[in-house]
mmCIF file of all heavy atoms in Angstrom:
data_model
loop_
_atom_site.group_PDB
_atom_site.id
_atom_site.type_symbol
_atom_site.label_atom_id
_atom_site.label_comp_id
_atom_site.label_asym_id
_atom_site.label_seq_id
_atom_site.Cartn_x
_atom_site.Cartn_y
_atom_site.Cartn_z
ATOM 1 N N HIS W 1 14.315 52.139 -14.797
ATOM 2 C CA HIS W 1 14.272 53.372 -15.480
ATOM 3 C C HIS W 1 15.681 53.741 -15.689
ATOM 4 O O HIS W 1 16.476 54.215 -14.812
ATOM 5 C CB HIS W 1 13.530 54.411 -14.659
ATOM 6 C CG HIS W 1 12.143 54.018 -14.325
ATOM 7 N ND1 HIS W 1 11.104 53.848 -15.328
ATOM 8 C CD2 HIS W 1 11.592 53.797 -13.091
ATOM 9 C CE1 HIS W 1 10.010 53.528 -14.710
ATOM 10 N NE2 HIS W 1 10.182 53.470 -13.439
ATOM 11 N N LEU W 2 16.114 53.721 -17.022
ATOM 12 C CA LEU W 2 17.573 53.944 -17.263
ATOM 13 C C LEU W 2 17.856 55.417 -17.571
ATOM 14 O O LEU W 2 18.855 56.003 -17.128
ATOM 15 C CB LEU W 2 17.964 53.195 -18.599
ATOM 16 C CG LEU W 2 17.738 51.716 -18.572
ATOM 17 C CD1 LEU W 2 18.277 51.107 -19.783
ATOM 18 C CD2 LEU W 2 18.512 51.104 -17.275
ATOM 19 N N ALA W 3 16.870 56.170 -18.210
ATOM 20 C CA ALA W 3 17.262 57.622 -18.442
ATOM 21 C C ALA W 3 15.843 58.281 -18.747
ATOM 22 O O ALA W 3 14.997 57.683 -19.300
ATOM 23 C CB ALA W 3 18.147 57.712 -19.666
ATOM 24 N N THR W 4 15.729 59.607 -18.551
ATOM 25 C CA THR W 4 14.606 60.273 -18.912
ATOM 26 C C THR W 4 15.001 61.575 -19.634
ATOM 27 O O THR W 4 16.112 62.089 -19.590
ATOM 28 C CB THR W 4 13.810 60.732 -17.615
ATOM 29 O OG1 THR W 4 14.665 61.518 -16.763
ATOM 30 C CG2 THR W 4 13.364 59.533 -16.859
ATOM 31 N N ASN W 5 14.005 62.068 -20.427
ATOM 32 C CA ASN W 5 14.166 63.295 -21.244
ATOM 33 C C ASN W 5 15.343 63.293 -22.100
ATOM 34 O O ASN W 5 16.243 64.165 -22.096
ATOM 35 C CB ASN W 5 14.256 64.519 -20.217
ATOM 36 C CG ASN W 5 12.870 64.820 -19.705
ATOM 37 O OD1 ASN W 5 11.951 65.193 -20.420
ATOM 38 N ND2 ASN W 5 12.768 64.567 -18.375
ATOM 39 N N ILE W 6 15.565 62.286 -22.882
ATOM 40 C CA ILE W 6 16.700 62.163 -23.761
ATOM 41 C C ILE W 6 16.276 62.533 -25.172
ATOM 42 O O ILE W 6 15.322 62.026 -25.739
ATOM 43 C CB ILE W 6 17.181 60.578 -23.776
ATOM 44 C CG1 ILE W 6 17.567 60.120 -22.446
ATOM 45 C CG2 ILE W 6 18.388 60.436 -24.791
ATOM 46 C CD1 ILE W 6 18.668 60.864 -21.732
ATOM 47 N N SER W 7 17.019 63.491 -25.699
ATOM 48 C CA SER W 7 16.898 63.950 -27.081
ATOM 49 C C SER W 7 17.882 63.234 -28.007
ATOM 50 O O SER W 7 18.855 62.643 -27.565
ATOM 51 C CB SER W 7 17.159 65.455 -27.103
ATOM 52 O OG SER W 7 16.214 66.131 -26.356
ATOM 53 N N GLY W 8 17.536 63.270 -29.241
ATOM 54 C CA GLY W 8 18.291 62.580 -30.222
ATOM 55 C C GLY W 8 17.765 61.204 -30.542
ATOM 56 O O GLY W 8 16.704 60.906 -30.373
ATOM 57 N N SER W 9 18.649 60.308 -30.959
ATOM 58 C CA SER W 9 18.289 59.003 -31.336
ATOM 59 C C SER W 9 19.227 57.845 -30.862
ATOM 60 O O SER W 9 19.136 56.736 -31.240
ATOM 61 C CB SER W 9 18.200 58.862 -32.843
ATOM 62 O OG SER W 9 19.522 59.182 -33.454
ATOM 63 N N THR W 10 20.239 58.279 -29.890
ATOM 64 C CA THR W 10 21.107 57.296 -29.293
ATOM 65 C C THR W 10 21.398 57.615 -27.914
ATOM 66 O O THR W 10 21.303 58.786 -27.475
ATOM 67 C CB THR W 10 22.479 57.282 -30.040
ATOM 68 O OG1 THR W 10 23.089 58.594 -30.045
ATOM 69 C CG2 THR W 10 22.376 56.856 -31.463
ATOM 70 N N TYR W 11 21.694 56.573 -27.022
ATOM 71 C CA TYR W 11 22.032 56.760 -25.727
ATOM 72 C C TYR W 11 23.111 55.715 -25.257
ATOM 73 O O TYR W 11 22.994 54.563 -25.592
ATOM 74 C CB TYR W 11 20.827 56.480 -24.791
ATOM 75 C CG TYR W 11 20.975 56.580 -23.338
ATOM 76 C CD1 TYR W 11 21.309 57.759 -22.708
ATOM 77 C CD2 TYR W 11 21.011 55.394 -22.622
ATOM 78 C CE1 TYR W 11 21.517 57.838 -21.321
ATOM 79 C CE2 TYR W 11 21.221 55.428 -21.175
ATOM 80 C CZ TYR W 11 21.455 56.653 -20.622
ATOM 81 O OH TYR W 11 21.791 56.754 -19.186
ATOM 82 N N SER W 12 24.207 56.190 -24.677
ATOM 83 C CA SER W 12 25.279 55.317 -24.267
ATOM 84 C C SER W 12 24.942 54.804 -22.876
ATOM 85 O O SER W 12 24.861 55.634 -21.889
ATOM 86 C CB SER W 12 26.627 56.087 -24.296
ATOM 87 O OG SER W 12 27.646 55.235 -23.867
ATOM 88 N N TRP W 13 24.821 53.535 -22.750
ATOM 89 C CA TRP W 13 24.324 52.944 -21.473
ATOM 90 C C TRP W 13 25.422 52.082 -20.859
ATOM 91 O O TRP W 13 25.868 51.196 -21.438
ATOM 92 C CB TRP W 13 23.085 52.051 -21.747
ATOM 93 C CG TRP W 13 22.593 51.274 -20.626
ATOM 94 C CD1 TRP W 13 22.572 51.671 -19.304
ATOM 95 C CD2 TRP W 13 21.969 49.886 -20.644
ATOM 96 N NE1 TRP W 13 22.011 50.701 -18.517
ATOM 97 C CE2 TRP W 13 21.681 49.654 -19.258
ATOM 98 C CE3 TRP W 13 21.860 49.047 -21.583
ATOM 99 C CZ2 TRP W 13 21.078 48.417 -18.997
ATOM 100 C CZ3 TRP W 13 21.263 47.761 -21.335
ATOM 101 C CH2 TRP W 13 20.847 47.493 -19.942
ATOM 102 N N TYR W 14 25.794 52.498 -19.584
ATOM 103 C CA TYR W 14 26.699 51.730 -18.765
ATOM 104 C C TYR W 14 25.849 50.782 -17.934
ATOM 105 O O TYR W 14 25.136 51.191 -17.102
ATOM 106 C CB TYR W 14 27.553 52.632 -17.967
ATOM 107 C CG TYR W 14 28.551 51.872 -17.091
ATOM 108 C CD1 TYR W 14 29.668 51.236 -17.725
ATOM 109 C CD2 TYR W 14 28.473 51.761 -15.744
ATOM 110 C CE1 TYR W 14 30.596 50.503 -17.017
ATOM 111 C CE2 TYR W 14 29.424 51.007 -14.952
ATOM 112 C CZ TYR W 14 30.537 50.458 -15.563
ATOM 113 O OH TYR W 14 31.429 49.778 -14.874
ATOM 114 N N ILE W 15 26.007 49.515 -18.094
ATOM 115 C CA ILE W 15 25.117 48.478 -17.511
ATOM 116 C C ILE W 15 25.612 48.271 -16.002
ATOM 117 O O ILE W 15 26.548 47.476 -15.760
ATOM 118 C CB ILE W 15 25.010 47.205 -18.243
ATOM 119 C CG1 ILE W 15 24.708 47.456 -19.755
ATOM 120 C CG2 ILE W 15 24.059 46.248 -17.712
ATOM 121 C CD1 ILE W 15 24.751 46.229 -20.613
ATOM 122 N N TYR W 16 24.941 48.953 -15.098
ATOM 123 C CA TYR W 16 25.255 48.680 -13.681
ATOM 124 C C TYR W 16 24.099 48.975 -12.828
ATOM 125 O O TYR W 16 23.532 48.121 -12.179
ATOM 126 C CB TYR W 16 26.507 49.598 -13.225
ATOM 127 C CG TYR W 16 26.908 49.342 -11.815
ATOM 128 C CD1 TYR W 16 27.041 48.089 -11.333
ATOM 129 C CD2 TYR W 16 27.171 50.408 -11.013
ATOM 130 C CE1 TYR W 16 27.408 47.883 -9.958
ATOM 131 C CE2 TYR W 16 27.685 50.238 -9.722
ATOM 132 C CZ TYR W 16 27.723 48.987 -9.212
ATOM 133 O OH TYR W 16 28.102 48.782 -7.856
ATOM 134 N N LYS W 17 23.643 50.253 -12.757
ATOM 135 C CA LYS W 17 22.525 50.669 -12.015
ATOM 136 C C LYS W 17 21.573 51.519 -12.778
ATOM 137 O O LYS W 17 22.001 52.150 -13.766
ATOM 138 C CB LYS W 17 22.910 51.358 -10.692
ATOM 139 C CG LYS W 17 23.617 50.565 -9.675
ATOM 140 C CD LYS W 17 23.902 51.330 -8.403
ATOM 141 C CE LYS W 17 24.622 50.425 -7.359
ATOM 142 N NZ LYS W 17 24.774 51.090 -6.089
ATOM 143 N N ASP W 18 20.249 51.466 -12.451
ATOM 144 C CA ASP W 18 19.443 52.409 -13.165
ATOM 145 C C ASP W 18 19.409 53.830 -12.439
ATOM 146 O O ASP W 18 20.163 54.022 -11.461
ATOM 147 C CB ASP W 18 17.963 51.902 -13.187
ATOM 148 C CG ASP W 18 17.232 51.944 -11.834
ATOM 149 O OD1 ASP W 18 17.873 52.405 -10.799
ATOM 150 O OD2 ASP W 18 16.035 51.565 -11.774
ATOM 151 N N LYS W 19 18.631 54.773 -12.935
ATOM 152 C CA LYS W 19 18.703 56.158 -12.488
ATOM 153 C C LYS W 19 18.214 56.311 -11.012
ATOM 154 O O LYS W 19 18.590 57.279 -10.371
ATOM 155 C CB LYS W 19 17.927 57.108 -13.363
ATOM 156 C CG LYS W 19 16.462 56.950 -13.396
ATOM 157 C CD LYS W 19 15.833 57.781 -14.364
ATOM 158 C CE LYS W 19 15.950 59.261 -14.078
ATOM 159 N NZ LYS W 19 15.265 59.667 -12.808
ATOM 160 N N ASN W 20 17.504 55.267 -10.552
ATOM 161 C CA ASN W 20 17.035 55.388 -9.203
ATOM 162 C C ASN W 20 17.957 54.532 -8.187
ATOM 163 O O ASN W 20 17.665 54.421 -6.981
ATOM 164 C CB ASN W 20 15.625 54.690 -9.037
ATOM 165 C CG ASN W 20 14.640 55.478 -9.823
ATOM 166 O OD1 ASN W 20 14.732 56.811 -9.743
ATOM 167 N ND2 ASN W 20 13.720 54.895 -10.553
ATOM 168 N N GLY W 21 19.099 54.071 -8.738
ATOM 169 C CA GLY W 21 20.109 53.407 -7.851
ATOM 170 C C GLY W 21 19.896 51.900 -7.741
ATOM 171 O O GLY W 21 20.565 51.169 -7.005
ATOM 172 N N TYR W 22 18.950 51.276 -8.406
ATOM 173 C CA TYR W 22 18.592 49.871 -8.402
ATOM 174 C C TYR W 22 19.734 49.082 -9.262
ATOM 175 O O TYR W 22 19.825 49.483 -10.424
ATOM 176 C CB TYR W 22 17.256 49.487 -8.822
ATOM 177 C CG TYR W 22 16.184 49.995 -7.779
ATOM 178 C CD1 TYR W 22 15.423 51.107 -8.161
ATOM 179 C CD2 TYR W 22 15.996 49.399 -6.610
ATOM 180 C CE1 TYR W 22 14.409 51.567 -7.316
ATOM 181 C CE2 TYR W 22 14.990 49.880 -5.721
ATOM 182 C CZ TYR W 22 14.279 50.890 -6.010
ATOM 183 O OH TYR W 22 13.347 51.507 -5.207
ATOM 184 N N THR W 23 20.259 48.068 -8.754
ATOM 185 C CA THR W 23 21.375 47.291 -9.500
ATOM 186 C C THR W 23 20.653 46.445 -10.564
ATOM 187 O O THR W 23 19.635 45.685 -10.277
ATOM 188 C CB THR W 23 22.182 46.448 -8.557
ATOM 189 O OG1 THR W 23 22.793 47.302 -7.501
ATOM 190 C CG2 THR W 23 23.202 45.692 -9.308
ATOM 191 N N ILE W 24 21.153 46.529 -11.737
ATOM 192 C CA ILE W 24 20.770 45.716 -12.862
ATOM 193 C C ILE W 24 21.237 44.293 -12.629
ATOM 194 O O ILE W 24 22.445 44.097 -12.470
ATOM 195 C CB ILE W 24 21.223 46.214 -14.239
ATOM 196 C CG1 ILE W 24 20.861 47.703 -14.325
ATOM 197 C CG2 ILE W 24 20.643 45.378 -15.372
ATOM 198 C CD1 ILE W 24 19.458 48.016 -14.347
ATOM 199 N N PRO W 25 20.302 43.251 -12.669
ATOM 200 C CA PRO W 25 20.731 41.808 -12.535
ATOM 201 C C PRO W 25 21.194 41.213 -13.834
ATOM 202 O O PRO W 25 20.877 41.806 -14.827
ATOM 203 C CB PRO W 25 19.522 41.249 -11.948
ATOM 204 C CG PRO W 25 18.462 41.952 -12.600
ATOM 205 C CD PRO W 25 18.827 43.387 -12.740
ATOM 206 N N LYS W 26 21.775 40.104 -13.756
ATOM 207 C CA LYS W 26 21.981 39.265 -14.972
ATOM 208 C C LYS W 26 20.660 38.503 -15.230
ATOM 209 O O LYS W 26 19.821 38.368 -14.366
ATOM 210 C CB LYS W 26 23.165 38.312 -14.778
ATOM 211 C CG LYS W 26 22.925 37.256 -13.706
ATOM 212 C CD LYS W 26 24.186 36.273 -13.684
ATOM 213 C CE LYS W 26 23.847 35.178 -12.695
ATOM 214 N NZ LYS W 26 24.990 34.185 -12.697
ATOM 215 N N GLY W 27 20.532 38.188 -16.445
ATOM 216 C CA GLY W 27 19.375 37.434 -16.792
ATOM 217 C C GLY W 27 19.248 37.131 -18.359
ATOM 218 O O GLY W 27 20.128 37.638 -19.156
ATOM 219 N N ASN W 28 18.317 36.430 -18.770
ATOM 220 C CA ASN W 28 18.175 36.056 -20.183
ATOM 221 C C ASN W 28 16.979 36.650 -20.990
ATOM 222 O O ASN W 28 16.869 36.506 -22.162
ATOM 223 C CB ASN W 28 17.975 34.597 -20.322
ATOM 224 C CG ASN W 28 19.124 33.796 -19.701
ATOM 225 O OD1 ASN W 28 20.210 34.241 -19.779
ATOM 226 N ND2 ASN W 28 18.878 32.583 -19.156
ATOM 227 N N TYR W 29 16.087 37.490 -20.323
ATOM 228 C CA TYR W 29 14.961 37.850 -20.920
ATOM 229 C C TYR W 29 14.644 39.409 -20.692
ATOM 230 O O TYR W 29 13.767 39.845 -20.008
ATOM 231 C CB TYR W 29 13.700 37.064 -20.463
ATOM 232 C CG TYR W 29 13.859 35.638 -20.674
ATOM 233 C CD1 TYR W 29 14.183 34.724 -19.715
ATOM 234 C CD2 TYR W 29 13.615 35.109 -21.996
ATOM 235 C CE1 TYR W 29 14.398 33.367 -20.040
ATOM 236 C CE2 TYR W 29 13.664 33.729 -22.197
ATOM 237 C CZ TYR W 29 14.112 32.881 -21.225
ATOM 238 O OH TYR W 29 14.175 31.531 -21.498
ATOM 239 N N PHE W 30 15.525 40.153 -21.337
ATOM 240 C CA PHE W 30 15.412 41.699 -21.177
ATOM 241 C C PHE W 30 15.082 42.244 -22.546
ATOM 242 O O PHE W 30 15.366 41.749 -23.554
ATOM 243 C CB PHE W 30 16.826 42.245 -20.712
ATOM 244 C CG PHE W 30 17.264 41.897 -19.409
ATOM 245 C CD1 PHE W 30 18.019 40.935 -19.121
ATOM 246 C CD2 PHE W 30 16.759 42.710 -18.347
ATOM 247 C CE1 PHE W 30 18.432 40.566 -17.883
ATOM 248 C CE2 PHE W 30 17.100 42.417 -16.990
ATOM 249 C CZ PHE W 30 17.995 41.412 -16.760
ATOM 250 N N LYS W 31 14.356 43.384 -22.478
ATOM 251 C CA LYS W 31 13.968 44.212 -23.622
ATOM 252 C C LYS W 31 14.190 45.631 -23.239
ATOM 253 O O LYS W 31 13.971 46.106 -22.128
ATOM 254 C CB LYS W 31 12.567 43.997 -24.158
ATOM 255 C CG LYS W 31 12.429 42.589 -24.834
ATOM 256 C CD LYS W 31 10.988 42.505 -25.456
ATOM 257 C CE LYS W 31 10.836 41.227 -26.159
ATOM 258 N NZ LYS W 31 9.437 41.153 -26.842
ATOM 259 N N ILE W 32 14.535 46.498 -24.183
ATOM 260 C CA ILE W 32 14.638 47.895 -24.037
ATOM 261 C C ILE W 32 13.317 48.520 -24.487
ATOM 262 O O ILE W 32 12.770 48.141 -25.610
ATOM 263 C CB ILE W 32 15.735 48.545 -24.806
ATOM 264 C CG1 ILE W 32 17.115 48.220 -24.187
ATOM 265 C CG2 ILE W 32 15.650 50.033 -24.923
ATOM 266 C CD1 ILE W 32 17.340 48.779 -22.835
ATOM 267 N N ARG W 33 12.795 49.518 -23.699
ATOM 268 C CA ARG W 33 11.554 50.144 -24.046
ATOM 269 C C ARG W 33 11.841 51.620 -24.135
ATOM 270 O O ARG W 33 12.478 52.262 -23.304
ATOM 271 C CB ARG W 33 10.475 49.955 -22.981
ATOM 272 C CG ARG W 33 9.139 50.767 -23.173
ATOM 273 C CD ARG W 33 8.221 50.625 -21.985
ATOM 274 N NE ARG W 33 7.771 49.217 -21.915
ATOM 275 C CZ ARG W 33 7.233 48.739 -20.742
ATOM 276 N NH1 ARG W 33 7.043 49.616 -19.691
ATOM 277 N NH2 ARG W 33 6.852 47.478 -20.660
ATOM 278 N N ILE W 34 11.399 52.170 -25.307
ATOM 279 C CA ILE W 34 11.570 53.586 -25.609
ATOM 280 C C ILE W 34 10.131 54.213 -25.734
ATOM 281 O O ILE W 34 9.280 53.667 -26.376
ATOM 282 C CB ILE W 34 12.307 53.905 -26.930
ATOM 283 C CG1 ILE W 34 13.585 53.103 -27.001
ATOM 284 C CG2 ILE W 34 12.465 55.435 -27.070
ATOM 285 C CD1 ILE W 34 14.610 53.690 -26.141
ATOM 286 N N SER W 35 9.946 55.312 -24.873
ATOM 287 C CA SER W 35 8.480 55.889 -24.920
ATOM 288 C C SER W 35 8.640 57.411 -24.994
ATOM 289 O O SER W 35 9.695 58.013 -24.446
ATOM 290 C CB SER W 35 7.730 55.466 -23.662
ATOM 291 O OG SER W 35 8.411 55.896 -22.509
ATOM 292 N N SER W 36 7.633 58.048 -25.618
ATOM 293 C CA SER W 36 7.561 59.586 -25.659
ATOM 294 C C SER W 36 7.365 60.122 -24.208
ATOM 295 O O SER W 36 6.584 59.550 -23.444
ATOM 296 C CB SER W 36 6.493 59.977 -26.511
ATOM 297 O OG SER W 36 6.191 61.327 -26.403
ATOM 298 N N VAL W 37 8.030 61.223 -23.881
ATOM 299 C CA VAL W 37 7.867 61.876 -22.668
ATOM 300 C C VAL W 37 6.440 62.589 -22.622
ATOM 301 O O VAL W 37 5.827 62.597 -21.513
ATOM 302 C CB VAL W 37 9.008 62.923 -22.375
ATOM 303 C CG1 VAL W 37 8.620 63.834 -21.202
ATOM 304 C CG2 VAL W 37 10.270 62.214 -22.175
ATOM 305 N N VAL W 38 6.063 63.103 -23.701
ATOM 306 C CA VAL W 38 4.843 63.770 -23.785
ATOM 307 C C VAL W 38 3.649 62.803 -23.713
ATOM 308 O O VAL W 38 2.636 63.034 -23.076
ATOM 309 C CB VAL W 38 4.748 64.684 -25.086
ATOM 310 C CG1 VAL W 38 3.367 65.321 -25.253
ATOM 311 C CG2 VAL W 38 5.849 65.706 -25.042
ATOM 312 N N ASP W 39 3.696 61.656 -24.514
ATOM 313 C CA ASP W 39 2.627 60.718 -24.637
ATOM 314 C C ASP W 39 3.250 59.287 -24.457
ATOM 315 O O ASP W 39 3.655 58.752 -25.377
ATOM 316 C CB ASP W 39 1.962 60.816 -25.924
ATOM 317 C CG ASP W 39 0.672 59.883 -26.019
ATOM 318 O OD1 ASP W 39 0.534 59.078 -25.086
ATOM 319 O OD2 ASP W 39 0.066 59.926 -27.054
ATOM 320 N N PRO W 40 3.193 58.709 -23.203
ATOM 321 C CA PRO W 40 3.784 57.441 -22.942
ATOM 322 C C PRO W 40 3.270 56.341 -23.678
ATOM 323 O O PRO W 40 3.788 55.241 -23.822
ATOM 324 C CB PRO W 40 3.533 57.298 -21.415
ATOM 325 C CG PRO W 40 3.265 58.633 -20.887
ATOM 326 C CD PRO W 40 2.661 59.340 -21.928
ATOM 327 N N THR W 41 2.065 56.565 -24.281
ATOM 328 C CA THR W 41 1.386 55.448 -25.147
ATOM 329 C C THR W 41 2.162 55.254 -26.502
ATOM 330 O O THR W 41 2.099 54.283 -27.210
ATOM 331 C CB THR W 41 -0.070 55.797 -25.442
ATOM 332 O OG1 THR W 41 -0.226 56.867 -26.290
ATOM 333 C CG2 THR W 41 -0.786 55.822 -24.127
ATOM 334 N N ILE W 42 2.919 56.325 -26.849
ATOM 335 C CA ILE W 42 3.827 56.289 -28.081
ATOM 336 C C ILE W 42 5.107 55.553 -27.703
ATOM 337 O O ILE W 42 5.970 56.193 -27.022
ATOM 338 C CB ILE W 42 4.040 57.605 -28.682
ATOM 339 C CG1 ILE W 42 2.845 58.342 -28.992
ATOM 340 C CG2 ILE W 42 4.903 57.445 -29.839
ATOM 341 C CD1 ILE W 42 2.953 59.775 -29.417
ATOM 342 N N LYS W 43 5.261 54.301 -27.867
ATOM 343 C CA LYS W 43 6.329 53.502 -27.311
ATOM 344 C C LYS W 43 6.638 52.370 -28.170
ATOM 345 O O LYS W 43 5.842 51.901 -29.075
ATOM 346 C CB LYS W 43 6.097 53.044 -25.854
ATOM 347 C CG LYS W 43 4.793 52.121 -25.848
ATOM 348 C CD LYS W 43 4.559 51.695 -24.326
ATOM 349 C CE LYS W 43 3.291 50.826 -24.294
ATOM 350 N NZ LYS W 43 2.994 50.451 -22.903
#
């Protein structure tokens, strides 16, 4: 979980840890997921 309750259409991401303190690993198969706060099925 990188960020919550973000307004607008951009987010500046520093790749190190997520918002819960978990360290981001290196790897080859990542995707970014954007979802509505109100309705998580809109993603």
